Amino acid sequence: GTDGIVTLRAEVDASAKVTSARIQVGEHEATLTLDGTSLHGELRVPTPDRWWPHTHGVPRLHACQVVIETESGPCVFPLEPVGFRQLERRDEPGFALHINGEPVYCRGACWTTSDIFTLSGSEHSLRHDLCLARDAGMNMIRIGGTMIYESDAFYRLCDELGILVWQDFMFANMDYPVEDAGFAENITTEAKQQLDRLALHPCLVVYCGSS
């Protein structure tokens, strides 16, 4: 429906002597379940302000944190801001994206790197380059399969600035020995690691197997 859903899974230090824990998103909170050292739970936020690409609205992000009560007092752990958005792929008249029910005409460029010497770039240089892209009217950046997976700071900035990301996996321009069991297992591991890392970013709207 119109609820925003935040799911959390975490491991806590057994020596912390946790008595209870809760997750907070804005003014909303929910109690988390503690099973041994495993902490998990779900929070529903009714009709939250949604995250939009900057060409269609405000890229709204909500502060998120976990509060853990221990025998020695409470501990607060700030988490990544949360963005709520609905994403749909349509095939008529061709491949198309709808964000929060609205069709989005995607326009932008392929991203190479903010710093050719480090293949990453500082947060300052990333912000400079991505702000130029936003101010030029771009609402999508594609990270090509011939490059590298970008830093966490890159995706955080795209969340903040309302820039959609088309993410290629780093497989391109060669024949891969996919029938080799060991290599195929590496591919699966790489995909899972990147999906787990990037799933929390509302800017991520397309994953592509290669370039």
Side-chain angles (χ1 to χ4, degrees):
T2 59
D3 286 355
I5 301 174
V6 180
T7 303
L8 182 132
R9 298 182 303 276
E11 293 294 320
V12 296
D13 190 334
S15 66
K17 298 181 180 178
V18 175
T19 57
S20 66
R22 59 191 186 276
I23 182 171
Q24 298 175 332
V25 175
E27 300 176 350
H28 302 274
E29 68 175 36
T31 300
L32 297 169
T33 300
L34 181 65
D35 294 325
T37 60
S38 177
L39 200 62
H40 58 88
E42 180 180 285
L43 169 63
R44 285 181 173 264
V45 180
T47 58
D49 291 337
R50 298 192 183 192
W51 184 95
W52 290 90
H54 74 91
T55 48
H56 290 67
V58 177
R60 182 77 166 87
L61 297 172
H62 303 260
C64 181
Q65 65 182 17
V66 169
V67 180
I68 296 180
E69 301 286 349
T70 70
E71 292 182 0
S72 57
C75 300
V76 179
F77 296 91
L79 303 178
E80 295 279 357
V82 175
F84 300 104
R85 57 107 172 98
Q86 184 184 41
L87 172 65
E88 297 175 273
R89 190 203 75 203
R90 302 283 181 89
D91 294 320
E92 293 293 337
F95 179 84
L97 298 177
H98 286 228
I99 307 292
N100 300 325
E102 294 292 328
V104 175
Y105 183 80
C106 300
R107 54 187 183 272
C110 293
W111 178 264
T112 52
T113 176
S114 187
D115 185 343
I116 195 65
F117 296 105
T118 66
L119 297 183
S120 178
S122 66
E123 184 166 348
H124 175 77
S125 67
L126 288 168
R127 180 178 292 278
H128 173 268
D129 293 346
L130 289 170
C131 281
L132 287 177
R134 179 201 59 189
D135 295 345
M138 297 184 193
N139 62 9
M140 176 175 276
I141 292 288
R142 174 188 167 226
I143 299 177
T146 56
M147 301 308 298
I148 60 171
Y149 298 105
E150 264 297 340
S151 65
D152 291 340
F154 175 91
Y155 301 102
R156 288 192 196 106
L157 286 167
C158 288
D159 288 341
E160 175 189 333
L161 299 173
I163 299 175
L164 305 171
V165 175
W166 174 303
Q167 175 71 60
D168 286 358
F169 288 91
M170 299 299 121
F171 298 100
N173 300 343
M174 65 176 291
D175 295 325
Y176 293 96
V178 294
E179 295 179 357
D180 177 85
F183 193 87
E185 184 178 357
N186 266 345
I187 292 176
T188 301
T189 299
E190 179 176 325
K192 285 181 176 179
Q193 287 175 343
Q194 294 301 326
L195 289 169
D196 284 346
R197 180 171 81 98
L198 300 176
L200 58 88
H201 293 287
C203 67
L204 255 294
V205 291
V206 177
Y207 294 96
C208 185
S210 68
S211 64

